[in-house]
Amino acid sequence: MTFQATSHVRKPLAAASKITAKGNRIVLDDAESLSYIENKATGKKIPLKIQNGVYVMEVQVTPKKAPF
């Protein structure tokens, strides 16, 4: 997924409608069970976990290179 955020954002939000429109399914369950986003075409799953009552996913952020 592609996210865009400014430095003032602590937690970017992802809309479920946008995620599912791109060919994914979202499975949300309790803290003891597996929650994930699954690509329907590839079967690849992105795990989700609950932190402070919010489902979150780990992401890798690639810093934008300076233009000079």
Side-chain angles (χ1 to χ4, degrees), residues 15-35:
S17 61
K18 301 264 184 187
I19 294 170
T20 56
K22 297 284 185 177
N24 300 288
R25 81 172 36 95
I26 303 169
V27 176
L28 302 176
D29 212 332
D30 58 36
E32 291 78 35
S33 302
L34 183 62
S35 296

Side-chain angles (χ1 to χ4, degrees), residues 1 3 37 45-51 55-61:
M1 279 191 265
F3 285 94
I37 298 170
K45 294 180 183 178
I46 299 172
L48 303 171
K49 58 185 176 181
I50 300 175
Q51 289 182 346
Y55 290 92
V56 297
M57 68 178 123
E58 291 187 21
V59 297
Q60 182 179 4
V61 179

Side-chain angles (χ1 to χ4, degrees), residues 6-20:
T6 65
S7 61
H8 297 16
V9 175
R10 291 195 178 268
K11 291 184 180 180
L13 300 176
S17 61
K18 301 264 184 187
I19 294 170
T20 56

